[in-house]
């Protein structure tokens, strides 16, 4: 899987259950309006380039993205 769109799915206490490092080939991930509180539970996704996180409730803790998504080139956090 290279692209995964979870828009408008509801997270459980700010976590997306089932999203794990098993998605090692993921290049695009969209989690728009899923009620995320932080990105601290995001798995290590080495190939991820584009991450859409608009319309959530994220207020900080973005430093983990540098470690878990080292090839990230596009990040959308609008509406948080």
């Amino acid at each position: 899987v290279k692209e995964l769109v979870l828009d408008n799915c509801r997270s459980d206490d700010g976590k997306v259950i089932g999203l794990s490092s098993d998605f090692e080939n993921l290049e695009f991930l969209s989690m728009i309006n899923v009620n995320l509180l932080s990105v601290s539970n995001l798995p290590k996704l080495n190939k991820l380039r584009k991450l859409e996180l608009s319309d959530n409730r994220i207020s900080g803790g973005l430093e983990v993205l540098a470690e878990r998504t080292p090839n990230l080139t596009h990040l959308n956090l609008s509406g948080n």
Side-chain angles (χ1 to χ4, degrees), residues 21-40:
S21 56
D22 291 339
F23 288 92
E24 60 187 26
N25 292 317
L26 208 57
E27 294 178 9
F28 172 75
L29 176 59
S30 183
M31 296 190 294
I32 297 171
N33 191 33
V34 298
N35 204 32
L36 278 182
L37 304 175
S38 77
V39 292
S40 62

Side-chain angles (χ1 to χ4, degrees), residues 7 13 53:
D7 298 353
D13 292 330
L53 296 172

Side-chain angles (χ1 to χ4, degrees), residues 4-10 16 19 29-34:
L4 183 60
V5 177
L6 299 172
D7 298 353
N8 300 309
C9 295
R10 289 288 157 217
V16 178
L19 182 61
L29 176 59
S30 183
M31 296 190 294
I32 297 171
N33 191 33
V34 298

Side-chain angles (χ1 to χ4, degrees), residues 14-77:
K15 301 175 187 175
V16 178
I17 297 169
L19 182 61
S20 69
S21 56
D22 291 339
F23 288 92
E24 60 187 26
N25 292 317
L26 208 57
E27 294 178 9
F28 172 75
L29 176 59
S30 183
M31 296 190 294
I32 297 171
N33 191 33
V34 298
N35 204 32
L36 278 182
L37 304 175
S38 77
V39 292
S40 62
N41 293 311
L42 194 68
K44 188 161 181 72
L45 300 169
N46 288 325
K47 295 183 180 180
L48 194 69
R49 293 174 172 242
K50 187 172 183 180
L51 182 57
E52 296 280 347
L53 296 172
S54 61
D55 299 324
N56 282 290
R57 297 171 47 205
I58 301 167
S59 61
L62 299 176
E63 57 278 348
V64 299
L65 291 177
E67 175 191 326
R68 298 186 186 164
T69 58
N71 289 305
L72 195 66
T73 58
H74 176 89
L75 175 62
N76 184 353
L77 290 166

